[in-house]
């Protein structure tokens, strides 16, 4: 049971660096044998980035899977299905006979760790049950995990967390999903990889874990109400060491690990590569909104922002914003969780580097670019 060994089948961590192309299975853009990716959770803050990255590369055909579906584009089609329904999943995925890679980044939110297990394990199982029998060319299944594997959400955890940290007391759906992959891998022709990002920043609407959106909407409403920007967490959280993962960087890492044989059957921490403290980041964020910074004041955003829908609706009208419902730009409970972490929150990213992934992102620049992107999309003023 992998709950005691979160990275029980990782490759030798002493594997020397090898040029990224040397062992890559990625085909050249004009290769006749195109690769076909099934991106599960294609409308999520992580899945959207994976779809974009695969399309950018030019040598992939992409199938996006979610309940809501999406717009087709060259080399992109969507399947809309509820993965909690096994029969519907088998029926809707039966035609995906050419899938070579599954990139799994779906997520069902539930209030407690134990409630998260059943739906999230069932969705992954239903994908495997539907795809394995029909797609003989399946080569790889990539699983999106997170620092929950290390108990990061429970309290102070060992930092920098390594992929081979000892497990913690279940329930933990990420660990059970990995155990399912390891079990199904036995005797299969495909390999798996598990990617463990920190808090992810990217663009998505209507998702429960979206920190950049939390900050952007909180700052925009602060401005609308004539308030300075106050960090809404504790002083301890303001001062602690933290790291984030850019959704674009994450997508590049996911595709790298999913196509490089050195990464087969292993887990990899992926973060931007710089540590920060909110007490330094907050003034830069305030600057991006033309706001003054005031001292932190711990708030329960989920409660305090609950009555701000009329403010948001008036902002949409007054600033000519895209007509996004307040619920679709609100991940307040997630903000409350992140801004309560008054302990070091980072992992050891050296294993990915040892295996050939060397990219990094400046986290301050990442935030500023995401806010600019949200303005371009008319999500915020
Ligand atoms: N966001 C973060 O900061 C973060 C950080 C570390 C790790 N992670 C992990 O990364 C994974 C993905 O998280 P995320 O934040 O990207 O999730 P997300 O933004 O909520 O996206 C979830 C995706 O799954 C789809 N989905 C949900 N229920 C479904 C169902 N029953 N059938 C089919 N599709 C379904 C959603 O689309 P529909 O709603 O249209 O179905 C959406 O495309 C999770 O395991 C999470 O723990 C996230």
């Amino acid at each position: 049971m992998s709950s005691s060994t979160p990275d029980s089948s990782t490759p030798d961590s002493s594997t020397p660096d090898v040029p990224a192309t040397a062992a890559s299975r990625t085909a050249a853009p004009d290769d006749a044998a195109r690769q076909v990716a099934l991106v599960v959770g294609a409308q999520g803050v992580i899945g959207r980035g994976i779809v974009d990255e695969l399309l950018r590369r030019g040598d992939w055909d992409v199938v996006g899977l979610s309940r809501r579906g999406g717009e087709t584009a060259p080399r992109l089609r969507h399947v809309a299905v509820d993965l909690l329904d096994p029969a519907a999943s088998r029926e809707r995925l039966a035609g995906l006979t050419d899938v070579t890679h599954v990139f799994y980044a779906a997520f069902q939110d539930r209030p407690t760790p134990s409630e998260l297990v059943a739906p999230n394990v069932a969705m992954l199982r239903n994908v495997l049950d539907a795809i394995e029998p029909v797609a003989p060319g399946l080569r790889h299944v990539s699983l999106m995990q997170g620092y929950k594997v290390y108990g990061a959400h429970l309290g102070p955890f060992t930092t920098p967390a390594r992929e081979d940290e000892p497990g913690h007391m279940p329930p933990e759906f990420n660990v059970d999903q990995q155990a399912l992959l390891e079990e199904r891998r036995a005797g299969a022709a495909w390999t798996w990889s598990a990617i463990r990002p920190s808090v992810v920043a990217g663009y998505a609407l209507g998702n429960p874990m979206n920190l950049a959106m939390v900050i952007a909407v909180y700052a925009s409403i602060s401005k609308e109400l004539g308030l300075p920007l106050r960090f809404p967490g504790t002083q301890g959280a303001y001062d602690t060491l933290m790291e984030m993962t850019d959704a674009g960087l994450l997508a590049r890492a996911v595709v790298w690990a999913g196509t490089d044989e050195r990464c087969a059957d292993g887990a990899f921490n992926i973060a931007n590569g710089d540590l920060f403290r909110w007490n330094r980041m907050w003034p830069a964020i305030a600057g991006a909104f033309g706001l003054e910074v005031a001292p932190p004041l711990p708030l329960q955003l989920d409660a305090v922002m609950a009555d701000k829908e009329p403010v948001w609706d008036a902002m949409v009208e007054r600033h000519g914003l895209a007509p996004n419902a307040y619920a679709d730009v609100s991940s307040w409970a997630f903000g409350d969780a992140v801004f309560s972490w008054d302990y070091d929150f980072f992992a050891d990213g050296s294993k990915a580097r040892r295996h050939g992934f060397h990219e990094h992102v400046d986290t301050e620049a990442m935030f500023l670019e995401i806010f600019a992107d949200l303005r371009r999309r008319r999500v915020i003023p």
Side-chain angles (χ1 to χ4, degrees), residues 124-357:
L124 176 60
R125 179 178 290 113
N126 290 339
V127 170
L128 295 174
D129 285 351
I131 288 296
E132 269 197 296
V134 302
L138 181 63
R139 276 183 263 164
H140 193 82
V141 180
S142 161
L143 173 66
M144 187 53 55
Q145 298 186 308
Y147 293 180
K148 282 182 177 171
V149 171
Y150 308 125
H153 56 310
L154 302 174
F157 61 106
T158 306
T159 53
R162 290 169 29 162
E163 289 86 347
D164 58 0
E165 294 294 339
H168 62 85
M169 186 66 75
E172 177 42 58
F173 79 92
N174 289 278
V175 172
D176 290 352
Q177 285 181 322
Q178 183 177 325
L180 175 63
L181 275 193
E182 290 176 3
E183 186 190 312
R184 299 287 286 254
R185 162 76 171 94
W190 49 267
T191 58
W192 60 269
S193 56
I195 302 298
R196 300 175 180 168
S198 182
V199 175
V200 176
Y203 172 72
L205 290 168
N207 58 322
M209 294 188 284
N210 192 344
L211 192 67
M213 188 76 92
V214 168
I215 295 172
V217 174
Y218 173 73
S220 300
I221 291 178
S222 295
K223 186 167 187 172
E224 195 73 9
L225 298 178
L227 299 169
L229 191 66
R230 285 184 193 274
F231 181 72
T234 62
Q235 186 69 44
Y238 202 44
D239 295 337
T240 201
L241 272 177
M242 174 78 192
E243 70 181 352
M244 299 267 308
T245 303
D246 172 73
L249 173 99
L250 178 59
R252 294 190 288 280
V254 164
V255 178
W256 159 75
T259 53
D260 189 318
E261 282 166 3
R262 293 169 299 177
C263 303
D265 303 331
F268 295 89
N269 295 328
I270 298 292
N272 285 353
D274 59 356
L275 298 178
F276 70 93
R277 301 181 197 277
W278 289 114
N279 62 23
R280 288 245 195 120
M281 191 64 74
W282 213 245
I285 290 172
F289 289 86
L291 290 169
E292 297 293 320
V293 179
L297 183 68
L299 300 175
Q300 205 194 328
L301 290 172
D302 206 26
V304 168
M305 300 309 282
D307 68 350
K308 302 295 183 294
E309 185 168 359
V311 179
W312 176 256
D313 290 344
M315 286 167 62
V316 169
E317 182 77 21
R318 193 161 83 83
H319 298 285
L321 301 181
N324 293 311
Y326 187 57
D328 284 342
V329 297
S330 305
S331 314
W332 301 123
F334 185 57
D336 285 332
V338 174
F339 296 138
S340 74
W341 296 335
D342 56 0
Y343 45 88
D344 289 351
F345 197 97
F346 57 92
D348 182 342
S350 63
K351 183 181 169 193
R353 286 194 289 280
R354 282 196 303 276
H355 283 69
F357 187 77

Side-chain angles (χ1 to χ4, degrees), residues 41-46 65-68 81-84 105-108 123 144-146 173 197-200 207-209 334:
Q43 295 295 341
V45 67
I46 293 173
L65 189 156
S66 61
R67 286 167 301 180
R68 79 193 83 162
V81 64
D82 184 350
L83 287 176
L84 291 174
F107 177 63
Q108 272 278 312
M123 290 200 302
M144 187 53 55
Q145 298 186 308
F173 79 92
S198 182
V199 175
V200 176
N207 58 322
M209 294 188 284
F334 185 57

